[in-house]
Amino acid sequence: MTHSSFSTDPPVPARAGRPRISSQAVIERTALDLFLRNGFDATTMDDIAAACGLGRTTVFRYFRFKEAILWYGFDVHIDDLRSRLDEQPAGKALSARVRDAVLEAFSRSQDDDGMWIARFRVLQASDGLNAETSHRWLLWAEAVSAYVAGQTASSGGGDVLAAAFGGAIQATYLTTLRRWVAEIPDVATRDGIMRTNVDAVARLFAPTFDA
């Protein structure tokens, strides 16, 4: 398959508009604040309901357990990454499609209140969540590798080179986030750093997938 050459300038994705505040958003924001302040293990669903000023029934309607509050945003992000990949134009080089989809999904996940980064900080600080966190990141990498394998007529996410691309992009993404745990830069700075890092990895794989 022949693709156009690797484009040199990753586009700056349009950020999703601020959504209307809902009970679910209030619960997420309040829970993340409590997790960061008191620790994930020490925070109960009753604590979250009381801090939100909502009844237990309302809180449980949205989230059956406190772990679900963390995984919800992560799963939404992975689903959005898959959508961004599927919507990339076929005429663009494959490495550039992956790069742009990852950056678009990253940009869309950001918010002015820092909820997305706060969720990541909770996960990094909670040892009891390590196994499930690793599983979620594996799903993230597999979203990329499955897309690449499908575009190159390979055998799904098991294709070695496709898996290598997905793993390298995921490792770069995660390493970049970890550098922000102690000090969170502003949204524009985050976008710029992530663009630079993801673009560098995509360029490494361009000779393999864009020929």
Side-chain angles (χ1 to χ4, degrees):
M1 181 182 298
T2 301
H3 301 292
S4 60
S5 61
F6 189 95
S7 60
T8 58
D9 298 315
V12 179
R15 193 176 310 282
R18 177 183 288 272
R20 183 168 58 88
I21 299 299
S22 65
S23 294
Q24 179 171 321
V26 170
I27 294 168
E28 285 187 86
R29 188 170 303 161
T30 303
L32 290 171
D33 286 343
L34 290 175
F35 295 156
L36 287 172
R37 187 185 318 137
N38 303 328
F40 180 80
D41 291 338
T43 302
T44 67
M45 290 292 277
D46 285 340
D47 294 334
I48 296 168
C52 290
L54 298 171
R56 282 172 49 92
T57 302
T58 300
V59 173
F60 278 96
R61 184 183 307 143
Y62 290 102
F63 302 105
R64 297 291 299 275
F65 43 88
K66 63 182 181 179
E67 289 84 355
I69 299 173
L70 294 174
W71 304 136
Y72 172 76
F74 207 137
D75 291 343
V76 167
H77 173 67
I78 293 173
D79 286 343
D80 189 53
L81 173 59
R82 293 190 182 105
S83 295
R84 298 308 106 209
L85 287 164
D86 289 341
E87 293 175 6
Q88 291 298 308
K92 188 190 298 183
L94 181 55
S95 60
R97 279 182 266 163
V98 170
R99 176 200 65 195
D100 294 347
V102 168
L103 294 176
E104 288 168 13
F106 172 74
S107 184
R108 287 166 58 87
S109 70
Q110 302 303 295
D111 57 272
D112 294 336
D113 297 324
M115 285 179 59
W116 196 80
I117 292 294
R119 181 179 293 106
F120 180 76
R121 293 176 67 190
V122 172
L123 293 175
Q124 287 294 108
S126 305
D127 292 341
L129 298 172
N130 284 348
E132 189 60 32
T133 300
S134 296
H135 173 66
R136 286 310 200 282
W137 281 115
L138 179 60
L139 293 177
W140 194 103
E142 287 177 346
V144 174
S145 61
Y147 173 78
V148 172
Q151 294 298 305
T152 55
S154 299
S155 55
D159 175 80
V160 174
L161 292 176
F165 195 3
I169 288 283
Q170 182 267 326
T172 300
Y173 192 97
L174 180 55
T175 300
T176 302
L177 291 178
R178 282 175 173 160
R179 292 178 178 173
W180 298 336
V181 170
E183 183 176 353
I184 305 172
D186 58 60
V187 171
T189 301
R190 293 199 298 263
D191 279 349
I193 294 171
M194 188 64 79
R195 276 200 303 275
T196 298
N197 293 348
V198 171
D199 182 60
V201 175
R203 287 176 182 277
L204 291 177
F205 284 86
T208 299
F209 291 107
D210 300 345

